[in-house]
Amino acid sequence: MDLTTLAHTELSTRLAVLHDEHGRLKDRGLSLNLTRGKPAAEQLELSRPLLSLPGPDGHTAQDGTDGRNYGGLQGLPELRAAFSGPLQVPVDQLVAFGNSSLELMYECVVDAVLFGLPGAPAPWPREGRTAMLCPVPGYDRHFALCEKLGIDMIPVPMTADGPDMDEVERLVAEERVKGIWCVPKYSNPTGVCYAPETVRRLAAMETAAPDFRVFWDNAYAVHHVGEGAPLADVLSLSAEHGHPDRVFVFGSTSKITMAGSGVAFFGSSPANVSWLLGHFSKRTIGPDKINQLRHARFLPDAAAVRAHMERHAELLRPKFELIDAVLEKRLGDAGVASWTRPQGGYFVSLDVLDGCAARVVELAGDAGIALTPAGATFPHGKDPRDRNIRLAPSYPGLAEVGDAVEGLALCVELAAVERLLEAGRAA
Amino acid sequence: MDLTTLAHTELSTRLAVLHDEHGRLKDRGLSLNLTRGKPAAEQLELSRPLLSLPGPDGHTAQDGTDGRNYGGLQGLPELRAAFSGPLQVPVDQLVAFGNSSLELMYECVVDAVLFGLPGAPAPWPREGRTAMLCPVPGYDRHFALCEKLGIDMIPVPMTADGPDMDEVERLVAEERVKGIWCVPKYSNPTGVCYAPETVRRLAAMETAAPDFRVFWDNAYAVHHVGEGAPLADVLSLSAEHGHPDRVFVFGSTSKITMAGSGVAFFGSSPANVSWLLGHFSKRTIGPDKINQLRHARFLPDAAAVRAHMERHAELLRPKFELIDAVLEKRLGDAGVASWTRPQGGYFVSLDVLDGCAARVVELAGDAGIALTPAGATFPHGKDPRDRNIRLAPSYPGLAEVGDAVEGLALCVELAAVERLLEAGRAA
């Protein structure tokens, strides 16, 4: 039943039915949660061997380094070798550092602000005269980082092929535009994989700022749930197009091994790697090499990473399929919602009728179903159309996902009917 | 033989003897190193159980937290409880984060520059209008951090009781003076333990800057080699004297467990802790809690830490004793050198005749004995009297320490005789 074609009386009847249904849902006293973009316990179990690694005699790296002592700023070569392929970065241009790729992104922006980038005439100006392009919907922590460090944010619409490149090329003609946030594979939250032509244009475009950077947050590089999608090699393409220093690649094992105890990566041109390590050399003596050894023993090469990720996919796939099935059953022909069917990553992006997202989140919350706040996927938490909701199915069990999405679908329909009635009255 | 009382001819004769001796030393083709302030392999062996911890079922914290997943920005309560006593910080005012206390110090200065401190009218100004007091000789990485972040450094002489407090109290009357670096226990490199009255004055003094901070780098809090020295509780004293936000305490297990794979700590007032965690919340999702669990299992309380550190002391004590014995035998009555006999920490501080330190390092280097560059213990690497040399005996074996210090003592005497002859000619 396409709700958008109903007459006023039909909508009123439907509203009463849905209100009753929502009342019964509330009476169930549910406590469900679709907000948490983190691995479930059974996913963490896949990495159980890490908890006993590297073992009593396992502290020596392949090159003889004693992993227990100080030093080794760039990270262990054998771990970098294992992730060089998955992250599409040559091993000597890859840095393994810390447990958080977000921290590496933050460092890059802070260092750009305090010291300036290779190829830059000066540090990024502070206090709002620098801007980054933010494909929307996008990752709230990218936006929070910009907000904190005084970087303006310019939203750019996402398409099925990645950010709208006509818009990107138009905007980078402004010198204050210094970068773009990209989650190029199974994007957060849309699941979009950047098309080869999108990647090529990002690598090739002329920018007014000589120190423009693509922040390539490849958080889901190997995190397929369906058919794996290929991704063009942005670092090589940038070099080929005469912009060797354009791209900062980020990645981590947070959603490969253990979310809080993984290893983060930074990859870039030799000049950018020297730049970052130069700054690091004054702030630390080196990363936790034992944790890197632990990871290198557990995931010694790209094939091991692939096999391991297939086991994650087996756990996640049913949850994604269930979301799609429930939404399709309840909202497939209602004309008031569309959603993504991602082939990887951690999220489903749900668009409801314009002006309804906050109301859906409220209705769901009333029924004990926690959803990510409406607007979270936009800069400053403001979705101008108030329509996008991010669903995170990884952490709860399958039954909880099913119950939560059933309830959510009801709330989507209820909010839509309320809205359509209101629009009818206004007309 | 007091070299400073010798006549010119006696000095010339002595010079020839020493030259011959130095020539024979060079002929031995030694390769010795006293520069590395890091634990020896046998010290790292003391923490071997960490390499298999927390074990296959060991990922759950006392409060039920799954250590493998995201979150827990302040660090695990049980690890903070274990180090609360040794670091003299209440457990709820202690943060356990990362593997490097230097990184936490760097963060504090960056956040002071970018955002400002609690109690501050504005961020620390950039570009040289902020200064920190630097007791000298001191820790080169503190100085490098200031240099990098554009903080001026004002040297303050160290006494046997800590920094010259008359000088400190005089200097903090300047508003641009925003902080002081302190290694209060077994100081780097002098081994000095701050006297109770020094700590009290640091806590009680009035400062022109309302956001003045004592950077209390308690790197050697539990690292005795002789009799342990008590240290006054600077955090409590500051609060008692009406300056609750004055002190940033730093510490780590780098020289307790494994140098690169330990846990770092930050302790301060509730306002300062909220301030730092507020900034952290935009740059990371949390520290490596599994490594914290590992440490909490291995060192569950202060008594375990104490027992463990006694085993370190047993390994380090002979090296410190040997340095003192060799220097005493060769230079005890020569009148051209003095050195510290630290009761803990990692260094011996050697003062030679003014104007001789760089020459001693050169002569030793010619004979295959690597010493820390002269001046390294002063801001910008410049020792105005060119007399201080930092000796680091922990890493080499006992025989290497003995050979290196024997050679060093010869070089000290040779440089002194050269200098005295030169002075005699000039007179």
Side-chain angles (χ1 to χ4, degrees), chain A residues 129-321:
Chain A
R129 282 162 300 129
T130 299
M132 282 183 75
L133 304 184
C134 299
V136 289
Y139 179 33
D140 54 351
R141 287 185 182 268
H142 291 162
F143 305 151
L145 190 165
C146 280
E147 199 168 3
K148 175 157 192 69
L149 293 169
I151 315 282
D152 289 340
M153 292 177 270
I154 304 175
V156 173
M158 280 292 274
T159 75
D161 290 329
D164 178 336
M165 285 306 299
D166 291 343
E167 186 71 1
V168 168
E169 285 167 352
R170 192 180 66 77
L171 288 163
V172 298
E174 287 183 55
E175 196 166 348
R176 72 179 178 123
V177 174
K178 294 288 200 178
I180 181 170
W181 290 110
C182 297
V183 182
K185 205 165 169 183
Y186 316 128
S187 196
N188 177 350
T190 57
V192 162
C193 295
Y194 285 24
E197 178 61 7
T198 302
V199 180
R200 192 200 61 74
R201 287 171 75 177
L202 283 166
M205 66 188 180
E206 295 304 320
T207 63
D211 53 351
F212 184 92
R213 291 291 184 279
V214 174
F215 283 67
W216 197 251
D217 181 2
N218 204 354
Y220 308 104
V222 291
H223 304 57
H224 68 96
V225 290
E227 290 299 311
L231 179 67
D233 175 354
V234 69
L235 207 52
S236 297
L237 284 168
S238 297
E240 280 166 29
H241 285 90
H243 309 297
D245 298 334
R246 171 161 296 174
V247 184
F248 287 161
V249 175
F250 302 96
S252 84
T253 71
S254 296
K255 293 188 181 88
I256 296 175
T257 58
M258 295 185 180
S261 307
V263 178
F265 297 95
F266 168 83
S268 196
S269 66
N272 285 333
V273 168
S274 297
W275 171 82
L276 188 67
L277 293 182
H279 296 306
F280 274 9
S281 71
K282 302 302 178 192
R283 84 190 270 277
T284 179
I285 308 177
D288 181 344
K289 293 187 297 302
I290 291 291
N291 202 36
Q292 299 192 356
L293 266 177
R294 205 173 272 132
H295 278 75
R297 300 276 159 74
F298 182 56
L299 297 172
D301 53 34
V305 174
R306 247 189 329 272
H308 182 74
M309 294 313 292
E310 183 51 37
R311 301 183 66 193
H312 277 286
E314 286 162 13
L315 293 170
L316 288 170
R317 196 177 296 125
K319 296 179 180 178
F320 281 95
E321 289 174 349

Side-chain angles (χ1 to χ4, degrees), chain B residues 107-122:
Chain B
E107 284 306 308
C108 284
V109 175
V110 166
D111 289 344
V113 168
L114 287 177
F115 311 115
L117 285 158

Side-chain angles (χ1 to χ4, degrees), chain A residues 41-86:
Chain A
E42 61 264 35
Q43 290 179 267
L44 298 169
E45 284 296 323
L46 300 176
S47 299
R48 180 182 279 248
L50 278 182
L51 294 172
S52 316
L53 282 170
D57 296 306
H59 56 271
T60 310
Q62 281 170 8
D63 65 0
T65 298
D66 185 338
R68 302 170 300 184
N69 225 320
Y70 286 119
L73 204 56
Q74 191 169 351
L76 275 191
E78 57 251 60
L79 184 66
R80 292 189 279 117
F83 282 85
S84 169

Side-chain angles (χ1 to χ4, degrees), chain B residues 30-36 360-373 389-392 396 400 404-405 408:
Chain B
L30 298 174
S31 175
L32 308 173
N33 193 319
L34 285 178
T35 69
R36 294 161 298 189
V360 170
V361 173
E362 182 189 18
L363 287 166
D366 290 347
I369 302 167
L371 298 176
T372 303
I389 297 171
R390 189 190 79 169
L391 308 180
E400 179 172 348
V405 178
L408 163 66

Side-chain angles (χ1 to χ4, degrees), chain A residues 37-42 44-45 48 50-59 66-71 97 99-104 106-107 110-111 113-115 123 126-127 139 141 144-145 148-149 252 254-255 257-262 278-291 294 395, chain B residues 37-42 44-45 48 50-59 66-71 97 99-104 106-107 110-111 113-115 123 126-127 139 141 144-145 148-149 252 254-255 257-262 278-291 294 395:
Chain A
K38 60 187 200 180
E42 61 264 35
L44 298 169
E45 284 296 323
R48 180 182 279 248
L50 278 182
L51 294 172
S52 316
L53 282 170
D57 296 306
H59 56 271
D66 185 338
R68 302 170 300 184
N69 225 320
Y70 286 119
F97 198 95
N99 74 326
S100 162
S101 57
L102 183 66
E103 205 162 11
L104 297 175
Y106 191 97
E107 283 307 308
V110 165
D111 289 345
V113 168
L114 287 176
F115 310 116
R126 287 166 70 194
E127 312 303 342
Y139 179 33
R141 287 185 182 268
L145 190 165
K148 175 157 192 69
L149 293 169
S252 84
S254 296
K255 293 188 181 88
T257 58
M258 295 185 180
S261 307
H279 296 306
F280 274 9
S281 71
K282 302 302 178 192
R283 84 190 270 277
T284 179
I285 308 177
D288 181 344
K289 293 187 297 302
I290 291 291
N291 202 36
R294 205 173 272 132
Y395 190 72
Chain B
K38 60 187 199 179
E42 61 264 34
L44 299 169
E45 284 296 324
R48 179 183 281 247
L50 278 182
L51 294 172
S52 316
L53 283 170
D57 297 306
H59 56 271
D66 185 338
R68 302 170 299 184
N69 225 320
Y70 286 119
F97 199 95
N99 73 328
S100 162
S101 57
L102 182 66
E103 205 163 11
L104 297 176
Y106 191 97
E107 284 306 308
V110 166
D111 289 344
V113 168
L114 287 177
F115 311 115
R126 287 165 71 193
E127 312 303 343
Y139 179 33
R141 287 186 182 266
L145 191 165
K148 175 157 193 66
L149 294 169
S252 84
S254 297
K255 294 188 181 87
T257 59
M258 295 186 180
S261 306
H279 296 308
F280 274 8
S281 71
K282 302 302 177 193
R283 84 190 271 277
T284 179
I285 307 177
D288 180 343
K289 292 186 299 301
I290 291 292
N291 201 37
R294 206 173 270 133
Y395 190 72

